[in-house]
Amino acid sequence: MSAPAGTVAWAGPEDGALIEVSATGDAAHAVQTHVPTLVADKVASRLAARDATLWGEAAEAEAAIRLGWTALHETSRPLLAPLKALRDELAAEGIDRVVLAGMGGSSLAPEVLAGTAGAQLVVLDSTDPGQVHRALEGDLTATVLVVSSKSGGTVETDSQRRTFEAAFTAAGLDAARHIVVVTDPGSPLETVAKDAGYRAVFAADPEVGGRFSALTAFGLVPAALAGVDVEQLLDDAAAVAPFFAEDSEANPALVLGAALGGTKPLRDKIVIRDAGSGLFHFGDWAEQLVAESTGKNGTGLLPVVAGADAPELTEPVAADVLPVLLTPLTDEPEDADDDGESAAVEVTVSGTLGGTLLLWEYAVAVAGRLMGIDPFDQPNVESAKAATRGLLEETPAPEPAAFADSGVEVRGPADLLRGATSVTEAVDNLLATLPENGYLAVMAYLDREGRPAEALGGVRAALAARTGRPVTFGWGPRFLHSTGQLHKGGPAVGVFLQITGAAKHLVQIPGRDFDFATLIAAQAAGDARVLAELGRPVLRLHVTSSDALAWLAGVLGGRLA
């Protein structure tokens, strides 16, 4: 039986598209099946009107306080003037290096905004002591630290704030003049900032969750201070927002939402590949949006951020994989494939940055309705945080290694290791537990900007080719605020490979009785503990040197036996 004809939807003026979404194969069939019903149910207009009943009675209370993102292209405009004034003040004082201390939604969007615009922004979303040390090595006289957290209670961000404040003071600077805060109104962080006299405090919209906050102060403040034209960003979103609110089968947000959440059987591995879109690391931002919004109650869409060589996209594509390509925006929308010929399953998305951010937010909310889940809660995010706090308070002795091989310490339950005496055997045993519909998550609690990034660069694709299954790669603790929710609350088909390393730098955290090396070790151990308690297979590999890491990368990449 031939696949359904392709589907194309676009938003923009008559002389060109600002957003374009196309779907073929099973994705087109999902669009043709679900979009007419979505239109009849007026889902688009109700979503734009902040109708909290769209996801069922159980989700209504949470949705009622999480739909502010639909109007941010207008409600965020009062930020523009004070942001320009602050940037001008900082420039006049020679302060032009912006460091962002934030996690998850507080860091992923600013990274995309700055990178796409070619602006310089140091994103500190790690507790790896090497990464923290590098951020501290910059010219502090020329540095402004943006502390970005809804509550300020995030352990990573609080630790980074304390450390930079002490560093500014030690350098003979007025620390308060070098710190800007973004937080929710009335949060503990707002109190801390005002008591300390920090240079500026920007209030974010409290009715927007972190992963939907790209166009709030969380996205705009660090990006604007780094030099991004955030007014144009809001203009781009405003240009397409009316199209996303239309109850029309040509609504790109309905098309993308149906393609993501409406295939049957559900293609729940969303492999995102950039095909020249010009949007910097957009897949990393979409990864959190999709994973945290859908990964709960034993279901969910697993986003896989892949490169051009992704084995998951080699024909024939697995029945549970949905390829999504991010493509350049063209002047004219393409015609739909209406020749009735068989088409490979695929979704393509192109658009302006502001418009594409809003597109995906609408689409994920629509996919949540189709999947029968609340896209705004995150019931499993707190578990790893609680385990980390417990380990920091208990300070237990490190779990002894089962064995060591070439500078790599191996830890895991006996029923997983099954007598292994080498890293190769241990990894083989982990992969043997991978179900036919499963995925492998590589979780590296290491410096994502240093040598580990170079050493592990090809590991994801190599493991995907080796297993024939989708493989995700996450830098810890960054991924805990992204795919960590899906790991624990989504389908129980994942197997987990954790990589940790010995710290090269000792970076103390003022006011705390632990340093960054202790903190990241506790985060890794806490995450592994929670996964194990949920019955997920977890193999832990701890590298003791750079040489050991290079050797391990060779083993995982299939270059060494």
Side-chain angles (χ1 to χ4, degrees):
M1 184 177 72
S2 64
T7 299
V8 173
W10 61 279
E14 292 184 0
D15 59 350
L18 296 175
I19 290 290
E20 185 173 345
V21 178
S22 69
T24 55
D26 287 352
H29 188 271
V31 170
Q32 295 164 4
T33 299
H34 295 291
V35 168
T37 302
L38 293 169
V39 171
D41 291 343
K42 300 187 181 302
V43 169
S45 60
R46 289 166 62 192
L47 185 51
R50 307 190 196 185
D51 184 344
T53 68
L54 284 167
W55 301 274
E57 185 176 351
E60 189 171 343
E62 182 72 19
I65 57 171
R66 287 290 177 259
L67 290 170
W69 54 270
T70 59
L72 289 171
H73 50 282
E74 300 299 339
T75 59
S76 286
R77 290 186 184 273
L79 291 168
L80 297 177
L83 279 174
K84 182 180 184 306
L86 177 58
R87 176 170 165 76
D88 290 346
E89 288 176 12
L90 293 170
E93 297 175 22
I95 300 175
D96 58 4
R97 177 177 182 257
V98 183
V99 177
L100 171 61
M103 300 298 297
S106 298
S107 63
L108 294 167
E111 185 173 69
V112 173
L113 304 185
T116 300
Q120 295 300 310
L121 176 66
V122 178
V123 178
L124 183 56
D125 59 353
S126 178
T127 51
D128 179 86
Q131 199 165 332
V132 176
H133 178 77
R134 185 182 308 108
L136 290 167
E137 281 189 316
D139 182 0
L140 294 179
T141 303
T143 297
V144 60
L145 176 72
V146 179
V147 181
S148 190
S149 171
K150 286 183 73 66
S151 68
T154 305
V155 64
E156 299 96 335
T157 305
D158 179 68
S159 299
Q160 294 154 357
R161 177 188 65 82
R162 290 168 178 267
T163 303
F164 263 85
E165 187 168 21
F168 285 133
T169 301
L173 302 170
D174 179 356
R177 298 291 294 167
H178 288 261
I179 300 177
V180 171
V181 161
V182 184
T183 189
D184 277 1
S187 74
L189 178 57
E190 183 184 55
T191 301
V192 168
K194 290 182 176 178
D195 289 348
Y198 290 163
R199 182 156 195 157
V201 179
F202 289 89
D205 188 332
E207 294 196 347
V208 178
R211 56 190 175 276
F212 288 83
S213 67
L215 300 181
T216 70
F218 288 113
L220 302 185
V221 171
L225 296 184
V228 176
D229 184 350
V230 294
E231 183 174 10
Q232 182 62 54
L233 186 77
L234 295 177
D235 288 346
D236 288 343
V240 295
F243 295 92
F244 300 160
E246 286 185 356
D247 295 310
S248 163
E249 293 187 20
N251 183 333
L254 296 183
V255 170
L256 180 57
L260 292 176
T263 53
K264 189 175 181 180
L266 183 64
R267 290 180 174 266
D268 62 357
K269 316 299 189 301
I270 311 298
V271 180
I272 303 171
R273 181 173 75 83
D274 193 292
S277 72
L279 307 181
F280 181 82
H281 288 188
F282 188 88
D284 292 345
W285 174 83
E287 180 182 52
Q288 183 200 23
L289 178 69
V290 172
E292 278 199 345
S293 298
T294 68
K296 61 203 74 173
N297 303 329
T299 188
L301 302 174
L302 175 78
V304 180
V305 181
D309 59 346
E312 295 94 337
L313 300 182
T314 302
E315 292 291 341
V317 173
D320 59 346
V321 166
L322 178 66
V324 176
L325 304 185
L326 306 176
T327 60
L329 182 64
T330 58
D331 292 333
E332 296 289 342
E334 296 181 5
D335 293 329
D337 174 14
D338 57 2
D339 60 8
E341 295 296 319
S342 177
V345 60
E346 183 178 88
V347 176
T348 64
V349 178
S350 59
T352 60
L353 177 53
T356 305
L357 290 165
L358 188 60
L359 167 74
W360 277 80
E361 290 169 348
Y362 264 90
V364 166
V366 170
R369 177 179 169 89
L370 294 177
M371 296 171 65
I373 55 100
D374 175 1
F376 305 111
D377 69 346
Q378 48 194 45
N380 302 99
V381 167
E382 181 60 27
S383 58
K385 296 180 183 178
T388 297
R389 288 193 297 267
L391 290 170
L392 288 172
E393 292 168 0
E394 299 167 11
T395 59
E399 174 189 349
F403 64 88
D405 179 13
S406 302
V408 178
E409 298 173 355
V410 179
R411 293 173 174 84
D415 60 351
L416 175 64
L417 294 177
R418 300 203 308 276
T421 58
S422 70
V423 167
T424 298
E425 290 175 341
V427 172
D428 287 344
N429 290 343
L430 175 70
L431 299 184
T433 68
L434 186 59
E436 291 184 2
N437 64 336
Y439 67 92
L440 168 66
V442 181
M443 310 175 299
Y445 284 82
L446 300 167
D447 182 352
R448 73 179 180 94
E449 297 175 342
R451 291 187 64 185
E454 299 175 9
L456 298 173
V459 162
R460 194 213 71 80
L463 287 169
R466 175 179 175 181
T467 61
R469 295 303 304 152
V471 175
T472 66
F473 190 103
W475 295 101
R478 170 182 168 119
F479 77 85
L480 291 177
H481 300 261
S482 178
T483 51
Q485 162 65 40
L486 184 136
H487 290 169
K488 301 168 184 71
V493 295
V495 302
F496 300 88
L497 176 63
Q498 184 186 93
I499 306 173
T500 57
K504 291 184 177 180
H505 300 278
L506 178 64
V507 182
Q508 293 291 341
I509 303 172
R512 299 299 188 199
D513 55 4
F514 52 85
D515 59 14
F516 278 101
T518 303
L519 175 55
I520 196 170
Q523 289 178 305
D527 187 35
R529 174 185 290 184
V530 173
L531 289 169
E533 290 172 350
L534 291 170
R536 312 296 202 252
V538 184
L539 177 65
R540 303 180 63 194
L541 304 178
H542 181 78
V543 295
T544 58
S545 67
S546 296
D547 290 342
L549 178 62
W551 176 83
L552 175 61
V555 171
L556 297 177
R559 300 187 300 275
L560 298 173

